[in-house]
């Protein structure tokens, strides 16, 4: 079964500059151990989200999992109705024109944004996103898809943008 950390690894592997030659180096960029990355590779390969013997994600399959599966097996329920301090995610990172989305944050005292708290995909996602703007963008779109605070329109637009970002890696966002 896939874990949130497995999906974090898959999203990082979409990046052209991802260190794919070393589990330890990839783990360091994500805040994961070498063993966790190795296990993620195995899970992703078993789930047919990573080509066997390769570091290349199966992009179309990954889109399907993120858009259709993650909202159900890794939802991002709202914590409470209070505005808190944290690291920006959702529309604050990946704006959706024509929507009035609430600002979302991953709650942490070290954050520089304010918004409604949403749990990150996994705890390591926050640190990894701070070091990689493109990964942060993909995680923010994923949060919009999995958030109970997002409207159906916002989830649909975020899913389209996520699909575009994954299937067309040279696209600018």
């Amino acid at each position: 079964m896939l874990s949130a950390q497995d999906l974090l690894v898959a999203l990082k592997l979409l990046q052209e500059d991802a260190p794919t030659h070393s589990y330890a180096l990839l783990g360091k960029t994500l805040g994961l151990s070498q063993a966790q990355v190795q296990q993620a590779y195995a899970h992703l390969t078993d789930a047919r989200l990573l080509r066997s013997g390769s570091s290349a994600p199966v992009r179309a399959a990954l889109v399907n999992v993120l858009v259709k599966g993650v909202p159900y097996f890794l939802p991002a329920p709202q914590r409470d109705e209070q505005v808190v301090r944290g690291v920006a995610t959702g529309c604050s990172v990946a704006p959706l024109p024509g929507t009035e989305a609430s600002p979302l944050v991953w709650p942490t005292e070290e954050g520089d944004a304010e918004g409604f708290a949403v749990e990150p995909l996994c705890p390591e996602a926050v640190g990894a996103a701070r070091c990689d703007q493109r990964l942060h963008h993909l995680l923010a779109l994923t949060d919009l898809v999995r958030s109970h605070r997002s409207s159906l329109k916002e989830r649909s637009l975020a899913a389209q943008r996520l699909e575009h970002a994954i299937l067309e890696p040279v696209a600018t966002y």
Side-chain angles (χ1 to χ4, degrees), residues 104-152:
L104 301 176
V105 297
W106 297 317
T108 178
E109 291 299 319
E110 296 96 40
D112 58 358
E114 290 186 345
F116 296 101
V118 64
E119 290 296 321
L121 186 64
C122 61
E124 299 83 5
V126 179
R130 287 178 145 183
C131 299
D132 183 335
Q133 183 180 1
R134 292 186 64 204
L135 179 61
H136 194 172
H137 184 83
L138 292 172
L139 288 166
L141 287 170
T142 301
D143 283 344
L144 286 168
V145 170
R146 51 190 280 273
S147 175
H148 293 292
R149 191 172 284 285
S150 300
S151 69
L152 180 59

Side-chain angles (χ1 to χ4, degrees), residues 19 79 85 104 106 111 113 115 140 152 155 158 173:
R79 277 188 165 181
R85 181 170 204 70
L104 301 176
W106 297 317
L152 180 59
R155 286 193 302 271
Y173 29 84

